[in-house]
C-alpha cells in the first residue's frame, strides 16, 4: 500500500512537467502570433499624403466623378473599404454620404496598383442644388490632410454620395435609387 506522502512528490513532478509544457506552448503560440502580426501589418493604412489622386468624369449611371488613388513612389499601404471623406464645399449638405451599406475589401496600393471610388454629386431628381468646381477629398479618418481637386466640369450638387474604395473601377459606379 502506498503512502500518501510518497505519492505527493510524483504528483508535484507531474505538475512541474505540465507547467513547463504549458509555458513552452504558450510561448510558441505567442511567438507565432507575433510573427503573423508583423507579416500581416507590412502594409499600413494609407494616409491622404501617401497617395496621388486623379478625377475624371464618367457617363454611366447618369454621370459621376471617378476618383483614382495611387500610392506615391516607395509607399505600400492599404485603403480601407469605406467611402472617402469628400465634400464640394464647407456646408454639411455638400458632404458625400455613403452609397454602399457594407464595408468592401481593403485595397493594397503599391507600384501601379490603383483604387477607385465613384462620387455622384446629385442624387435628387430636380433642378435644385449648388454649383461647384472643386472637390475636397481625404482618406476617411485623415480629414486634417484634405486636398482640393479641380472638377473636370462644374457640378450641380444636391445630396452627393460616394462608393467605397474598390480595386476594380466597375465596382465604383454609384448607382442611385
Amino acid at each position: 500500500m502506498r503512502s500518501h506522502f510518497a505519492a505527493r512528490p510524483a504528483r508535484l513532478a507531474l505538475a512541474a512537467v505540465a507547467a513547463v509544457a504549458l509555458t513552452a506552448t504558450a510561448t510558441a503560440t505567442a511567438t507565432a502570433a507575433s510573427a503573423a502580426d508583423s507579416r500581416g501589418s507590412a502594409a499600413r493604412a494609407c494616409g491622404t499624403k501617401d497617395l496621388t489622386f486623379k478625377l475624371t468624369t464618367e457617363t454611366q449611371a447618369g454621370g459621376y466623378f471617378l476618383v483614382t488613388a495611387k500610392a506615391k513612389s516607395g509607399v505600400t499601404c492599404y485603403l480601407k473599404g469605406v467611402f472617402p471623406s469628400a465634400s464640394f464645399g464647407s456646408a454639411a449638405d455638400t458632404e458625400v454620404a455613403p452609397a454602399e451599406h457594407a464595408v468592401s475589401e481593403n485595397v493594397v496600393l503599391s507600384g501601379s496598383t490603383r483604387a477607385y471610388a465613384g462620387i455622384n454629386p446629385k442624387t435628387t431628381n430636380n433642378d435644385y442644388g449648388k454649383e461647384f468646381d472643386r472637390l475636397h477629398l481625404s482618406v476617411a479618418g485623415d480629414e486634417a490632410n484634405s486636398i482640393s481637386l479641380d472638377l473636370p466640369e462644374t457640378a450641380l450638387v444636391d445630396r452627393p454620395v460616394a462608393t467605397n474604395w474598390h480595386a476594380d473601377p466597375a465596382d465604383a459606379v454609384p448607382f442611385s435609387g
Side-chain angles (χ1 to χ4, degrees):
M1 187 165 180
R2 268 196 201 169
S3 159
H4 181 334
F5 295 111
R8 188 172 185 183
R11 278 188 258 153
L12 287 175
L14 280 174
V17 169
V20 169
L22 285 173
T23 302
T25 302
T27 302
T29 302
T31 303
S34 176
D37 286 346
S38 66
R39 285 191 305 269
S41 63
R44 59 179 172 73
C46 296
T48 305
K49 291 183 176 183
D50 294 324
L51 307 171
T52 59
F53 298 94
K54 179 181 172 187
L55 196 59
T56 56
T57 303
E58 301 295 325
T59 57
Q60 237 181 325
Y64 68 98
F65 296 111
L66 181 65
V67 181
T68 304
K70 183 178 180 284
K72 290 181 178 177
S73 179
V75 173
T76 298
C77 60
Y78 67 89
L79 276 172
K80 294 179 183 175
V82 297
F83 69 104
S85 181
S87 69
F88 289 90
S90 59
D93 64 348
T94 66
E95 292 177 10
V96 300
E100 298 176 75
H101 297 289
V103 175
S104 303
E105 300 262 333
N106 291 344
V107 181
V108 177
L109 299 177
S110 182
S112 63
T113 307
R114 290 172 170 73
Y116 306 91
I119 298 179
N120 183 343
K122 184 166 175 45
T123 59
T124 57
N125 192 15
N126 58 39
D127 293 331
Y128 302 112
K130 299 174 189 170
E131 287 193 351
F132 290 94
D133 58 3
R134 297 184 65 72
L135 176 72
H136 307 290
L137 178 75
S138 67
V139 172
D142 191 28
E143 287 79 7
N145 293 307
S146 178
I147 62 165
S148 290
L149 299 169
D150 289 328
L151 296 176
E153 60 190 44
T154 301
L156 186 62
V157 176
D158 190 18
R159 297 188 187 169
V161 297
T163 67
N164 297 340
W165 291 107
H166 294 280
D168 184 345
D171 294 332
V173 179
F175 293 103
S176 56

